[in-house]
Amino acid sequence: GRGGGNLGETGSVAWQFTTRGVITLNLQPGQDAEEVALQAIDAGAEDFSVDDGVVSVYTKPEDLEAVRRALKERGFEASSADIERVPNVTIQLDEKDAIQALRLLDRLEDLDDVQKVYSNADFPDAVLAAYSG
């Protein structure tokens, strides 16, 4: 590719991603994260994570809406519900490659017909800092 990145044939990288539903819930005072998570699992969610009062509930893409509805009925309001693609494999890049990849991702995001760009690269913090700086 022009940015020094390799864009494979269409579909050649699809296997590197898992598609899943993600429901984000901001806990109200008195709501217990573990309790919310158990309710979500009970409603058909596959997994969850809790970070600083925010519960992320992970579902199969086709279960996203049903789980969101079930949680809402139980009094847990979702702040967002999205389908996301998660990398199965992260590749640690060295600094030169990382900066090239970031430039490529920036360019892809600038294209009108590209809505979202997903990357499975794991960028070193120093590179991100240098690049955004």
Side-chain angles (χ1 to χ4, degrees), residues 12-59:
S12 65
V13 293
W15 60 270
Q16 293 181 339
F17 292 95
T18 303
T19 306
R20 67 182 182 185
V22 184
I23 301 165
T24 308
L25 305 154
N26 291 317
L27 293 183
Q28 305 309 313
Q31 288 183 340
D32 177 40
E34 298 292 314
E35 178 59 29
V36 179
L38 288 172
Q39 298 270 356
I41 301 281
D42 190 49
E46 296 191 304
D47 200 2
F48 70 92
S49 65
V50 180
D51 184 32
D52 204 22
V54 178
V55 179
S56 299
V57 174
Y58 304 107
T59 69

Side-chain angles (χ1 to χ4, degrees), residues 64-129:
L64 177 69
E65 187 53 32
V67 173
R68 187 191 66 77
R69 265 204 315 271
L71 286 168
K72 185 172 182 172
E73 281 162 16
R74 296 170 193 199
F76 304 113
E77 194 65 55
S79 56
S80 70
D82 293 298
I83 301 294
E84 71 173 24
R85 295 176 70 189
V86 188
N88 296 336
V89 187
T90 57
I91 306 160
Q92 185 74 47
L93 300 173
D94 68 29
E95 195 154 334
K96 179 173 151 297
D97 288 344
I99 286 173
Q100 280 188 330
L102 286 165
R103 282 199 190 114
L104 179 66
L105 290 171
D106 277 352
R107 275 221 294 282
L108 288 172
E109 284 169 344
D110 288 342
L111 299 174
D112 288 342
D113 57 345
V114 176
Q115 301 301 314
K116 273 191 175 170
V117 176
Y118 297 94
S119 168
N120 67 332
D122 184 10
F123 297 111
D125 289 343
V127 171
L128 290 174

